[in-house]
Amino acid sequence: MIIKRTELSWLERMYFPTLWSGLRVTARHFYDTLFRGGRVTMEYPEQRWTVPEGYRGAPYLVKDAEDRTKCVSCQLCEFVCPPKAIKITPPGPAVDPTTGNVEKRPREFEINMLRCIFCGFCQEVCPEEAIFLMKDYSLTGLSRKEMIYDKEKLLSLGGVHNDQIRKWKKKEAEAASQEAFKPE
Amino acid sequence: MSTATAANTETKPPAPAVETVRVKVDGRVVDVPRTLPDWQGKPQPTTMLQACAIAGAEVPHYCYHPKLPIAGNCRMCLVEFGTPMMGPDRKPVLSEDGSPKIARSVLPYEPGTPRGAIACATPISPGMEIYPSSPATKQMREAVLESLLINHPLDCPICDQAGECKLQEYSVEHGQAESRFAEVKVHKPKQVDLGPRIMLDDERCVLCTRCIRFSRDVAQDDALGIVNRGSHNSIAAFPGRQFDNNYTLNTVDICPVGALTSKDFRFRMRVWFLKETRSVCASCATGCNILISSREESVYRYEPRQNDAVNACWMCDSGRLNYKWIGREDRLLNVRSSRSGARAWAAVVAEIAETLRSAPQGSVAVIASARQSTEELYLLKKLAAHLGALTDSVERLGEGDGFLVNADRNPNTNGARMTGICFTEVGIQIPKIAQGIRSGRIHTLIVFGEDVTRHGIDSETLSKVSTLIVSDILPNETTRRAHFLLPGCAYAEKRGTFVNAKGRLQRFLKAVEPRGEARPEWEFLQELVHQVTGENLGPGFEALFNRMAKDVPALASAGVEWGKVGDLGAPLTL
């Protein structure tokens, strides 16, 4: 979509209205700190900013209510990731009975948090709702290697996502109900 | 589809005037041949689908495949068409402007409703008009696609075909964003073991029967069929039968959806990451044209590439799965000279050149594998001619199957013959070379790509050689005894040509980087030949090939050049 830039009116082009509204913010903070004892700064890292809803922090993997890794290793996030921060190792051809009717789950899933730009494409592209940008914004480590988060770490940080659709479970139940022959 | 076929076909339609039929496709007049070769190459009346392809209008289809008999069961290629109206006197009815009136096809008792015909099986007739993009055609396509998707599980995230799936592609073009199907989908078995290399997912199948027709008519092994009725229709191997012929994996290629999957490639990589490189299979002398799929310097699969003069659209399973050695852990990675202890290419090549320059005439022998490229064999022959050396290759025989597998398991025996490395009978010089070594006449042996201890020169004889120069890819007895070890490249790691059993020169291109210090053999041989004979056959690969094309009579008479060989190769007269 192309957004048209609106022409500035002559008053706006004089810059005084913007200057004035900026000065008002400064004045308000000045007044607040001086007379109301309010604080503008924060004692980071002891104090942390509570991020608003919808904030795009670090991407983590989630499990569903049955403790199943939701990721099915479709590798769309790896494909869409602009800085190539995601690396997925697919499971390979051996049939894994623990995956049930999902058949597939990543053998390894790595996100290089040094490369990640928190753009949210991975969350947007994920067909399984398995990866979410959460609220962590301050990621630190002592080595580059430490900043490559593996599957275990991503899952433990991501926690559980209570999704209502439960696509795979539904499919499994449907298939099971068709196993029985019910002439009516 | 058929334009691609026509462009790829080596045997062009016979030179005498091709009889054409004039039809209109979407209002555009095109002249198409009256007949075109069918899947067996026999002339058959041109179909609407082929006429549309010639006119540049793609008609979506699942069951039609140019190299299989026509089944006409998927109904995806339905198109609206019209034929010239005929008067009672069997003369075309003309409209006011003098052009023939066209009667659009309609249902017999519902003249207002257009009736489509399957483009893959309906022959064209003179004056016919085909409407592959009319609203009625579009509606028919959408309806057929919706019907095919009724019981489809839509499990693209876990389906290996995703990214190269016709169902996905046509859904984007002709499908609907939301399903209107409110009932419960029919579930079918999802991990059916059809054979040692094939896994079937019955839910994804659209019952196009391409796999059935392929195994029955092309692979001549009637092993598959459709069982059960109605929406429970599913593909299965006949009871007690395994789907295990040597061509089963071709059904994975032709399966338009993700029903048939390769157990070898299953869940190993998503196809959109794979880089495809045009190459030639090196497992036998047929030289099937292939595409090597690779990602980040590792090979994931081979797929056949259409070349009607060699392999059509097929290749054998044994050749297809013969790629794992390229990424083996024990590959030879380091160049070394056990004489001086040198471990750098320049030093080792210079040392070999020094040794060879001082070798007396006739004291050197060369055994070069017919798995090496023609260029490398040519360079080795150059070297041998300068040194007065005996040369030969090693014969590798198996069993041919009369279809694609050749009894000669070397990919380039004809290249070795053509360059003069061996005679028509391969390997007859090897006893002479062994004798020469034992008598002390030959004291320098150059071996490329063979373990000679298994092919006529036992390790005791080999230990008598004072200079053993070996280039290979994987370690063996000969490489262990080498005084000079030159790690070489698999054919997927370099450029080159092979000459197949029928004398067709075919190129292969580089798909992945060589491992470790390994270098393409032609590269260091070029340096070696330069240093030993003083003749520079470079610079670079193309100059080398073009030089060889002038020097080797079989190539010179065909007038080949690297730029002209093309993806489908060039026939030579041997």
Side-chain angles (χ1 to χ4, degrees):
Chain A
M1 194 172 69
I2 296 164
I3 298 166
K4 266 216 155 180
R5 215 170 259 253
T6 45
E7 281 285 309
L8 297 178
S9 70
W10 68 270
L11 190 70
E12 285 167 330
R13 263 177 296 174
M14 281 170 65
Y15 298 110
F16 287 116
T18 14
L19 209 61
W20 173 243
S21 58
L23 278 172
R24 263 174 51 199
V25 174
T26 316
R28 197 180 68 231
H29 282 301
F30 182 68
Y31 178 83
D32 282 355
T33 26
L34 212 60
F35 300 110
R36 290 195 179 167
R39 282 201 180 172
V40 187
T41 53
M42 191 187 275
E43 281 180 24
Y44 184 84
E46 284 77 20
Q47 282 180 330
R48 298 266 176 146
W49 175 49
T50 327
V51 297
E53 227 18 77
Y55 179 83
R56 296 200 306 241
Y60 296 142
L61 293 177
V62 296
K63 288 189 171 186
D64 69 5
E66 277 118 43
D67 204 36
R68 181 183 71 86
T69 307
K70 290 188 79 183
C71 176
V72 297
S73 181
C74 78
Q75 293 178 285
L76 280 173
C77 51
E78 182 176 359
F79 184 72
V80 81
C81 182
K84 294 190 192 299
I86 300 177
K87 186 175 177 240
I88 298 171
T89 312
V95 174
D96 181 355
T98 60
T99 53
N101 67 332
V102 187
E103 295 183 66
K104 219 179 157 199
R105 146 185 341 134
R107 181 177 298 162
E108 190 43 86
F109 194 116
E110 289 174 349
I111 303 181
N112 186 341
M113 293 299 179
L114 293 170
R115 303 199 76 153
C116 178
I117 56 170
F118 302 168
C119 65
F121 281 11
C122 46
Q123 175 179 340
E124 198 172 323
V125 82
C126 184
E128 300 288 329
E129 302 198 335
I131 188 165
F132 287 92
L133 265 68
M134 304 216 174
K135 293 189 171 174
D136 290 5
Y137 52 86
S138 161
L139 307 175
T140 49
L142 295 172
S143 66
R144 282 173 184 277
K145 207 178 158 206
E146 204 181 305
M147 294 308 287
I148 299 173
Y149 286 21
D150 65 0
K151 192 170 86 173
E152 304 312 313
K153 191 164 180 182
L154 291 167
L155 282 169
S156 65
L157 287 166
V160 174
H161 177 246
N162 280 311
D163 116 65
Q164 300 303 308
I165 301 170
R166 308 227 178 146
K167 175 172 86 177
W168 296 105
K169 207 174 174 203
K170 208 173 116 196
K171 278 192 182 201
E172 199 174 12
E174 267 178 23
S177 71
Q178 287 176 21
E179 283 295 310
F181 180 60
K182 288 176 290 191
E184 278 160 324
Chain B
M1 209 64 180
S2 76
T3 38
T5 323
N8 288 342
T9 312
E10 253 322 293
T11 48
K12 298 206 169 59
V18 182
E19 206 185 334
T20 58
V21 175
R22 180 160 288 190
V23 295
K24 267 188 181 178
V25 176
D26 273 341
R28 211 145 38 83
V29 177
V30 276
D31 290 310
V32 294
R34 180 177 287 277
T35 61
L36 280 172
D38 70 349
W39 66 284
Q40 288 170 309
K42 288 183 204 147
Q44 288 291 336
T46 304
T47 60
M48 295 205 292
L49 191 141
Q50 287 166 325
C52 286
I54 291 169
E58 204 216 330
V59 178
H61 53 265
Y62 295 108
C63 70
Y64 169 76
H65 188 281
K67 297 287 165 196
L68 292 176
I70 287 166
N73 56 24
C74 75
R75 319 309 286 180
M76 192 62 198
C77 65
L78 278 175
V79 287
E80 192 192 6
F81 68 101
T83 42
M85 228 182 242
M86 290 287 179
D89 53 352
R90 303 306 297 155
K91 293 238 174 73
V93 182
L94 300 182
S95 56
E96 279 146 24
D97 60 352
S99 60
K101 260 193 180 174
I102 299 293
R104 289 212 174 197
S105 55
V106 288
L107 289 181
Y109 304 107
E110 258 181 79
T113 313
R115 179 179 71 91
I118 45 169
C120 70
T122 312
I124 51 164
S125 59
M128 190 183 221
E129 290 196 357
I130 311 166
Y131 315 108
S133 53
S134 75
T137 306
K138 279 189 181 153
Q139 213 181 348
M140 289 188 273
R141 264 177 212 167
E142 281 166 19
V144 170
L145 191 70
E146 200 178 5
S147 141
L148 287 174
L149 285 171
I150 280 181
N151 285 320
H152 188 82
L154 300 173
D155 55 357
C156 306
I158 59 159
C159 177
D160 270 334
Q161 190 82 0
E164 51 181 14
C165 173
K166 288 281 175 211
L167 207 52
Q168 267 188 335
E169 284 165 27
Y170 295 152
S171 293
V172 171
E173 281 172 54
H174 315 288
Q176 289 164 357
E178 277 189 41
S179 171
R180 291 190 292 164
F181 190 68
E183 292 79 2
V184 174
K185 294 193 180 214
V186 171
H187 287 271
K188 294 182 196 174
K190 277 188 83 72
Q191 290 181 1
V192 183
D193 198 332
L194 268 195
R197 291 174 290 279
I198 304 283
M199 181 85 93
L200 167 68
D201 187 316
D202 267 320
E203 280 187 354
R204 296 179 190 148
C205 179
V206 292
L207 301 162
C208 71
T209 69
R210 274 186 182 184
C211 50
I212 298 176
R213 283 174 282 148
F214 173 82
S215 359
R216 188 189 61 204
D217 298 317
V218 180
Q220 310 279 336
D221 171 43
D222 197 358
L224 299 178
I226 290 186
V227 295
N228 298 336
R229 299 197 307 182
S231 44
H232 294 276
N233 259 192
S234 47
I235 299 284
F238 291 131
R241 283 292 303 273
Q242 277 265 313
F243 185 45
D244 59 356
N245 65 62
N246 196 21
Y247 292 91
T248 53
L249 284 169
N250 289 302
T251 59
V252 177
D253 297 334
I254 57 175
C255 181
V257 296
L260 293 164
T261 53
S262 156
K263 278 190 192 169
D264 178 64
F265 182 65
R266 192 177 153 85
F267 299 162
R268 280 186 61 216
M269 190 45 68
R270 306 295 279 176
V271 295
W272 50 76
F273 289 114
L274 298 176
K275 178 184 82 173
E276 291 183 334
T277 311
R278 295 181 296 274
S279 187
V280 174
C281 175
S283 293
C284 78
T286 304
C288 291
N289 289 216
I290 59 168
L291 285 173
I292 298 180
S293 294
S294 60
R295 183 190 183 201
E296 289 175 3
E297 311 311 335
S298 50
V299 175
Y300 282 92
R301 66 172 178 187
Y302 285 180
E303 278 185 312
R305 174 164 62 91
Q306 188 174 359
N307 186 344
D308 290 352
V310 184
N311 59 318
C313 298
W314 324 119
M315 75 185 290
C316 70
D317 290 0
S318 44
R320 188 193 295 252
L321 298 177
N322 187 13
Y323 66 88
K324 291 183 179 143
W325 56 274
I326 296 171
R328 240 164 75 174
E329 285 296 307
D330 59 345
R331 282 277 301 264
L332 296 172
L333 298 177
N334 300 311
V335 58
R336 70 173 158 80
S337 150
S338 46
R339 287 267 171 78
S340 64
R343 291 193 169 274
W345 275 103
V348 174
V349 171
E351 203 183 329
I352 296 172
E354 179 96 39
T355 320
L356 291 180
R357 269 200 303 270
S358 57
Q361 281 284 310
S363 69
V364 181
V366 177
I367 296 175
S369 174
R371 286 168 165 174
Q372 302 290 345
S373 77
T374 320
E375 296 73 29
E376 289 151 11
L377 296 168
Y378 165 73
L379 285 164
L380 281 166
K381 183 63 193 176
K382 274 263 169 196
L383 201 62
H386 183 80
L387 302 165
L390 279 177
T391 62
D392 210 340
S393 203
V394 171
E395 193 166 43
R396 191 169 273 111
L397 284 179
E399 218 173 289
D401 68 353
F403 182 32
L404 288 178
V405 180
N406 197 295
D408 180 2
R409 294 293 154 86
N410 278 322
N412 203 16
T413 312
N414 274 331
R417 289 185 184 127
M418 205 174 75
T419 49
I421 286 286
C422 65
F423 294 107
T424 310
E425 277 177 71
V426 183
I428 48 170
Q429 297 278 53
I430 290 180
K432 268 193 215 166
I433 293 171
Q435 185 55 39
I437 295 169
R438 268 180 242 122
S439 68
R441 193 165 48 80
I442 292 171
H443 41 77
T444 303
L445 184 62
I446 303 176
V447 182
F448 267 71
E450 292 288 357
D451 180 8
V452 287
T453 55
R454 283 165 44 202
H455 299 287
I457 299 176
D458 53 46
S459 26
E460 196 195 330
T461 315
L462 204 61
S463 61
K464 293 204 175 87
V465 176
S466 60
T467 309
L468 181 59
I469 302 160
V470 180
S471 170
D472 214 324
I473 298 166
L474 295 166
N476 55 43
E477 186 57 26
T478 311
T479 61
R480 268 188 285 280
R481 289 165 175 273
H483 302 114
F484 296 99
L485 183 64
L486 308 162
C489 286
Y491 64 99
E493 297 167 346
K494 63 188 177 191
R495 283 193 288 174
T497 55
F498 288 145
V499 182
N500 80 355
K502 286 183 187 163
R504 192 178 192 82
L505 181 81
Q506 306 195 97
R507 309 194 296 194
F508 53 88
L509 304 177
K510 177 176 162 180
V512 291
E513 284 295 325
R515 304 292 192 276
E517 286 173 5
R519 282 173 75 196
E521 291 89 327
W522 63 264
E523 211 175 275
F524 59 78
L525 274 172
Q526 208 173 27
E527 287 163 21
L528 192 64
V529 169
H530 187 194
Q531 289 183 27
V532 173
T533 68
E535 198 178 358
N536 190 354
L537 297 165
F541 180 81
E542 284 171 40
L544 167 68
F545 180 87
N546 292 337
R547 176 65 191 270
M548 174 182 79
K550 284 203 188 75
D551 271 8
V552 175
L555 295 173
S557 63
V560 292
E561 262 177 63
W562 178 256
K564 285 189 197 157
V565 177
D567 294 334
L568 301 178
L572 309 175
T573 34
L574 293 170

